[in-house]
Amino acid sequence: MSPSTRTSSVPSVSDMTGEPAHSQTRAELIVTVVFALWFGLLAIAHVVQAGRFEAMIPTWLPAPTFLNIVSTLGLAAISVLLVRRRTRFVGALAAALMLLVLQIVHLDDIRTAVSITQNDDGEWIRNEGEGSRPVLIGRTLFQLVSIGGALWLARNTHPASFARHAQPR
């Protein structure tokens, strides 16, 4: 076994039911922290640079400001769900679902070779036909790997998996 998947676990405490808590592997802890921080920072970025994220939304989707607000709230909620052990499974599934839905935008960006630039007035503009397809494809592949990571975390934090990892009494 590799060091990241060893059965040695990070210390855990019993949940509120008195049952032994699922012992968390280092890999689960690392993936959880990375996803929670990533989604939390993205939520902040969606607020701080709202215009940039609104410009990323394909023109065929209505109400970019509304969609950015929904994305921001979703990212923040997922980050909180991932931090709490009792809601981590739901958070991981929500992360995978959100990343999967965003793949539609990434695939559209590849199709249209989009780039996002800022004009002299500070307004973010969507430029179709000017983007680098290899960069956009790389981003899309990274997103696919991220979906796999979220699904892996969901599988390992599913309540049914707790019995496999339970510490002896």
Side-chain angles (χ1 to χ4, degrees):
M1 279 192 203
S2 68
S4 64
T5 57
R6 236 181 251 155
T7 56
S8 65
S9 62
V10 175
S12 60
V13 294
S14 295
D15 63 14
M16 298 177 92
T17 64
E19 292 297 314
H22 156 245
S23 62
Q24 180 173 315
T25 66
R26 283 185 180 86
E28 287 173 47
L29 179 63
I30 290 168
V31 172
T32 298
V33 169
V34 167
F35 272 96
L37 284 174
W38 179 30
F39 276 72
L41 291 173
L42 276 174
I44 293 168
H46 274 68
V47 172
V48 173
Q49 293 193 331
R52 181 171 194 256
F53 285 95
E54 290 167 14
M56 290 179 182
I57 296 171
T59 54
W60 48 267
L61 284 172
T65 300
F66 174 75
L67 292 174
N68 185 51
I69 291 168
V70 170
S71 295
T72 303
L73 294 173
L75 289 164
I78 290 168
S79 184
V80 171
L81 287 169
L82 289 168
V83 170
R84 298 198 60 229
R85 172 166 272 177
R86 291 180 154 258
T87 58
R88 192 165 297 151
F89 170 71
V90 173
L93 284 181
L97 181 62
M98 185 169 204
L99 291 168
L100 187 61
V101 169
L102 289 175
Q103 278 295 73
I104 296 166
V105 173
H106 294 319
L107 292 172
D108 184 70
D109 288 351
I110 292 169
R111 180 185 66 82
T112 59
V114 73
S115 70
I116 308 298
T117 57
Q118 199 169 21
N119 66 15
D120 294 335
D121 297 330
E123 182 182 9
W124 290 96
I125 302 169
R126 181 180 177 89
N127 305 300
E128 295 188 357
E130 297 180 19
S132 168
R133 281 201 170 97
V135 170
L136 295 168
I137 290 169
R139 181 180 70 180
T140 302
L141 292 174
F142 173 76
Q143 190 103 2
L144 286 172
V145 170
S146 299
I147 291 168
L151 291 173
W152 177 86
L153 185 61
R155 186 197 77 195
N156 285 297
T157 59
H158 187 277
S161 72
F162 292 176
R164 286 185 299 199
H165 299 293
Q167 297 172 349
R169 294 183 187 207

